[in-house]
Amino acid sequence: MTSLTEPAEPEPGRTARPPLVRELLLVAGLFLVYKFGRQLANGHTDEAFHNADRVWSLERTLHLPGEGSVQGLLLHSETLVHVANTYYAAVHFPATIALLVFLYLRRPRHYVWTRRVLAVLTAAALVLHLSFPLAPPRMLPAAHLVDTAQVYGPSVYAAQPDTDTMANQFAAMPSLHFGWALMVAIGLIAATRSRLRWLWLLHPLLTLAVIVGTANHYWLDSLVAAALLALALAALRMPAAVGAPRLRRHLLPAPAHPAVPAAAQLPGSPAPWTAHADFRTPPDALSAVQVLDRVPTRIPVQVTAGSASAATTPPPARTGALR
């Protein structure tokens, strides 16, 4: 059975796996910097709500669908709302960590690339969180949306944003829920070869429906996250490994080529290949015609009554004086 995480074919010259302790400290350090950095945006309540009004108006100007249309589908079932809230609270970090662990163990080259992209994406998001505080649509009176996490549970946020010491609720743009989920899908698609690997795109699509339906993010939050991720992917290309064709060029001798006329050779180009002297025709060798000319030819003649017992043609006359 084909697995969604079936690794791609082995890479010759693959990247060495980074030291585990160093990577744990690095990832943990980056996470703590991000968490404490988001706290710096707390206390900008008035600015966050002002920006929320601007974003809401911009979405209506762009004729984007209302976030309420997605939430209306969730509110038809209390179980569905609860599942969406659980997905928002419980899948975001574990899915990203699972991706990094899988790539670290099975695809070190993809791990280094993915970790760098996530770090750049998160750093860019932190800059926007600090420079553009934004209240989520569940707090915006003009949106008329339900805070599904507070009403149905479970919730990862405090009821009052000003008293929330664990998270910054005014860091809606960009949505790292969507940005990280999209990178999880891209990382797994790039690192695996299964035909079903494209199904990983369902993860960011489901995440998008969840963050909008639970009124935690605007549509624009996801669009900005996707744009930042695209810039990070364009700036950080995956390190190239030495593939099989390149290894063959280095390890195997070059094939023999026919000799090129001197006039066709470019200045500075290597001399054309020629056969070794041991394989060349010696200068005193005879051709097939010369060999046949030097062999006496005998023509058999039928013996009849009264004739000699046997007749043969005389040998061919030799040129030169007889000795």
Side-chain angles (χ1 to χ4, degrees):
M1 183 176 181
T2 305
S3 172
L4 286 173
T5 56
E6 181 181 358
E9 57 275 2
E11 301 173 350
R14 64 174 59 183
T15 303
R17 185 177 292 110
L20 178 59
V21 176
R22 189 194 71 180
E23 290 302 310
L24 290 176
L25 294 176
L26 179 60
V27 174
L30 292 174
F31 175 75
L32 292 177
V33 169
Y34 168 72
K35 292 295 290 185
F36 285 114
R38 286 186 52 164
Q39 297 300 320
L40 298 177
N42 282 337
H44 300 78
T45 304
D46 295 338
E47 185 180 0
F49 278 96
H50 175 68
N51 291 334
D53 290 328
R54 294 167 58 189
V55 170
W56 183 262
S57 299
L58 179 59
E59 285 191 345
R60 307 292 76 79
T61 303
L62 297 176
H63 302 288
L64 294 178
E67 286 78 359
S69 60
V70 180
Q71 187 175 86
L73 298 176
L74 293 180
L75 294 179
H76 283 296
S77 171
E78 184 174 343
T79 302
L80 190 59
V81 176
H82 186 80
V83 170
N85 291 334
T86 304
Y87 193 93
Y88 180 87
V91 176
H92 176 47
F93 285 109
T96 307
I97 293 174
L99 168 71
L100 293 175
V101 171
F102 169 76
L103 295 180
Y104 180 84
L105 296 177
R106 303 296 297 274
R107 306 295 289 168
R109 183 168 65 98
H110 291 78
Y111 164 79
V112 174
W113 170 66
T114 302
R115 188 245 293 152
R116 291 173 179 172
V117 172
L118 287 175
V120 171
L121 171 63
T122 305
L126 180 59
V127 172
L128 272 179
H129 292 162
L130 297 176
S131 60
F132 191 77
L134 179 64
R138 55 185 168 84
M139 298 182 185
L140 188 63
H144 303 289
L145 296 173
V146 177
D147 189 344
T148 59
Q150 294 295 332
V151 175
Y152 300 96
S155 176
V156 294
Y157 301 120
Q160 297 298 325
D162 295 336
T163 61
D164 196 341
T165 59
M166 297 299 296
N168 177 18
Q169 299 190 40
F170 295 145
M173 181 179 288
S175 170
L176 282 181
H177 268 75
F178 179 76
W180 286 10
L182 185 58
M183 187 57 206
V184 167
I186 293 174
L188 288 172
I189 290 173
T192 57
R193 64 178 181 178
S194 169
R195 295 179 181 177
L196 302 178
R197 66 185 186 277
W198 297 102
L199 293 178
W200 287 112
L201 290 174
L202 294 176
H203 174 49
L205 293 177
L206 184 58
T207 300
L208 178 61
V210 165
I211 63 178
V212 173
T214 56
N216 282 293
H217 287 282
Y218 304 90
W219 293 111
L220 285 178
D221 297 340
S222 300
L223 293 178
V224 172
L228 292 178
L229 178 59
L231 292 176
L233 291 173
L236 299 173
R237 301 297 181 89
M238 187 185 305
V242 179
R246 293 178 62 186
L247 282 181
R248 284 194 293 269
R249 286 198 298 268
H250 289 293
L251 300 180
L252 298 181
H257 298 284
V260 180
Q265 296 183 17
L266 297 177
S269 61
W273 179 89
T274 56
H276 193 272
D278 295 341
F279 297 98
R280 296 173 184 168
T281 304
D284 56 347
L286 299 177
S287 64
V289 176
Q290 294 172 332
V291 172
L292 292 178
D293 289 341
R294 297 191 179 191
V295 175
T297 305
R298 298 178 180 273
I299 302 176
V301 178
Q302 185 177 4
V303 178
T304 58
S307 63
S309 60
T312 59
T313 61
R318 297 174 180 261
T319 61
L322 297 175
R323 296 181 181 179

